[in-house]
Amino acid sequence: MEFLDRYQQMVADAITKYTFKDKPTELYEPMNYIISHGGKRLRPIMVLMACDLFGGDLQQAVKPALAIEFFHNFTLIHDDIMDEAPLRRNKPTIHTLHGLNVGILSGDGLMLKAYKFFEDLEPEIFKACIRIFTHTGLLLCEGQQYDINFETQENVTYDDYIRMITYKTGVLSASSFEIGALIARANFKDAKAIFNFGKHIGIAFQIMDDYLDVFGDQAQFGKKHAGDIYENKKTVLYLLAREHGTEEERKELDYWYSKKTDNIDKVYGVEKIFRRTKVDEKALRLIEKHNEIGQSYLQKIDIPEEKKKPFIELANYLLRRES
């Protein structure tokens, strides 16, 4: 993925340049902490890639790209609080280190800082980007609420699940590409095509996340193994197991998902059903399906094929990941 190096370096340099030095340090240091453990920083890179694809000025896109990264990390802080997650990227989560109050406040601070990073854009582009950014944030909140609802909702369908992960994960990738395209002044049709590319890659990415939660290497994945099972998350693995399991297996899933417990027998019992119903293979096929749909939207953009290659490489890389 050498083509990413330049974008990653631009994002890293900008994060260093805009490190928070504000007071009180008790608020801003946790914000710096999560940003500094930034993982692959894929979403800000998506902003830069789309801007580049349509011949835009990358320097104009750097701060909006950081806005996406700040916003993404705000959602992770609050997500970890809601999930009571002890680890994020193999590091202790902010609320674990500093308590719930600091976790909530530092997340809020990151979200508000994100809005400020659009301020340098020209008024027309600023308005368009903020409209997308705000709508994305609201959809993400809706997706998170659906995710919470699913823990106690008895009948969750595959369509319910796809809507939830589209809102919770897909639209942020999609909007990152669209914002980059708008900064480069791409036309409406092309901006929507790159949005839809990002949406389906984001859906595939979340299905992979669900897959790795159970079937990935915990040390590489950087999260608690089978955390979704402990939390009664009705992921694609659960839905596929219900669809393809026997009546007895469905009853056993109902039993385990009716209680929230750290009992290792629960994880063992659910994993055994997942393996018997071969949901790992079925999930990987769904990932490939959404990858193909995403790339079909990429082909609708009237730009030389050579310029599209990095996007195909990025999608294939994301969906082969181990962590």
Side-chain angles (χ1 to χ4, degrees):
M1 296 292 287
E2 291 177 9
F3 77 91
L4 285 182
D5 291 348
R6 178 170 66 111
Y7 300 123
Q8 283 179 324
Q9 193 59 53
M10 288 181 73
V11 174
D13 290 346
I15 285 171
T16 300
K17 179 178 179 180
Y18 295 107
T19 295
F20 301 119
K21 299 181 176 68
D22 313 68
K23 303 289 184 182
T25 55
E26 292 83 359
L27 172 66
Y28 288 101
E29 280 310 309
M31 292 159 64
N32 287 329
Y33 170 81
I34 193 166
I35 294 293
S36 69
H37 299 147
K40 298 177 181 69
R41 294 170 176 155
L42 295 169
R43 290 157 191 86
I45 286 170
M46 289 171 181
V47 176
L48 298 177
M49 285 180 68
C51 185
D52 221 2
L53 178 68
F54 296 106
D57 180 353
L58 286 182
Q59 290 308 312
Q60 288 183 10
V62 167
K63 286 178 76 173
L66 272 199
I68 295 289
E69 181 68 357
F70 290 174
F71 180 83
H72 174 58
N73 280 278
F74 142 67
T75 68
L76 297 183
I77 294 172
H78 284 197
D79 203 30
D80 288 339
I81 290 170
M82 285 183 264
D83 288 346
E84 300 177 8
L87 292 176
R88 167 70 63 182
R89 299 164 182 151
N90 271 327
K91 303 283 185 182
T93 47
I94 284 177
H95 70 275
T96 303
L97 291 174
H98 302 285
L100 291 176
N101 290 345
V102 171
I104 292 166
L105 281 173
S106 59
D108 292 346
L110 270 178
M111 189 259 289
L112 293 166
K113 285 285 190 181
Y115 272 93
K116 290 184 66 63
F117 271 59
F118 287 102
E119 289 175 353
D120 293 347
L121 295 172
E122 293 177 16
E124 187 180 340
I125 303 296
F126 171 82
K127 186 177 178 181
C129 289
I130 287 295
R131 184 175 64 247
I132 293 163
F133 188 66
T134 303
H135 183 58
T136 297
L138 287 169
L139 287 179
L140 198 144
C141 290
E142 291 175 19
Q144 181 71 1
Q145 186 62 57
Y146 282 127
D147 196 17
I148 292 167
N149 292 354
F150 290 175
E151 291 178 26
T152 53
Q153 186 177 324
E154 283 189 18
N155 298 313
V156 177
T157 67
Y158 179 73
D159 287 344
D160 291 335
Y161 166 82
I162 289 295
R163 177 178 60 181
M164 183 271 288
I165 66 170
T166 299
Y167 289 4
K168 192 175 171 185
T169 303
V171 293
L172 189 55
S173 298
S175 297
S176 299
F177 282 127
E178 187 176 16
I179 284 169
L182 289 176
I183 292 169
R185 291 171 171 75
N187 64 46
F188 178 82
K189 175 175 153 293
D190 286 344
K192 280 303 166 193
I194 202 70
F195 173 92
N196 282 311
F197 167 76
K199 181 178 81 172
H200 284 281
I201 297 308
I203 290 169
F205 185 84
Q206 184 58 50
I207 296 173
M208 178 62 88
D209 212 57
D210 293 351
Y211 168 88
L212 290 171
D213 180 74
V214 174
F215 297 104
D217 183 321
Q218 183 187 359
Q220 290 181 307
F221 194 36
K223 294 181 185 177
K224 179 180 178 179
H225 172 70
D228 290 341
I229 295 175
Y230 285 114
E231 295 292 325
N232 294 337
K233 300 274 189 185
K234 294 186 173 76
T235 67
V236 69
L237 303 181
Y238 166 88
L239 294 172
L240 288 169
R242 281 196 65 82
E243 181 184 349
H244 297 281
T246 63
E247 184 62 31
E248 186 180 339
E249 286 168 335
R250 282 193 286 274
K251 283 180 181 174
E252 188 176 347
L253 283 172
D254 289 341
Y255 170 76
W256 287 123
Y257 278 75
S258 67
K259 51 185 70 187
K260 209 168 187 178
T261 172
D262 276 1
N263 185 340
I264 193 66
D265 290 340
K266 173 180 179 176
V267 174
Y268 177 73
V270 172
E271 280 193 21
K272 198 164 61 173
I273 295 170
F274 284 177
R275 292 182 193 282
R276 279 204 305 262
T277 51
K278 298 184 178 178
V279 298
D280 52 338
E281 296 172 14
K282 295 175 175 65
L284 290 173
R285 283 199 291 274
L286 283 173
I287 290 165
E288 188 54 39
K289 171 191 164 187
H290 281 282
N291 186 15
E292 289 171 1
I293 294 171
Q295 294 195 29
S296 73
Y297 279 105
L298 188 63
Q299 295 313 312
K300 294 179 181 180
I301 300 171
D302 187 19
I303 275 178
E305 292 303 308
E306 193 64 29
K307 294 191 76 173
K308 297 176 187 175
K309 279 185 180 176
F311 291 80
I312 296 169
E313 283 184 48
L314 176 66
N316 291 337
Y317 163 72
L318 290 177
L319 307 178
R320 283 195 307 265
R321 71 198 176 111
E322 293 178 334
S323 62

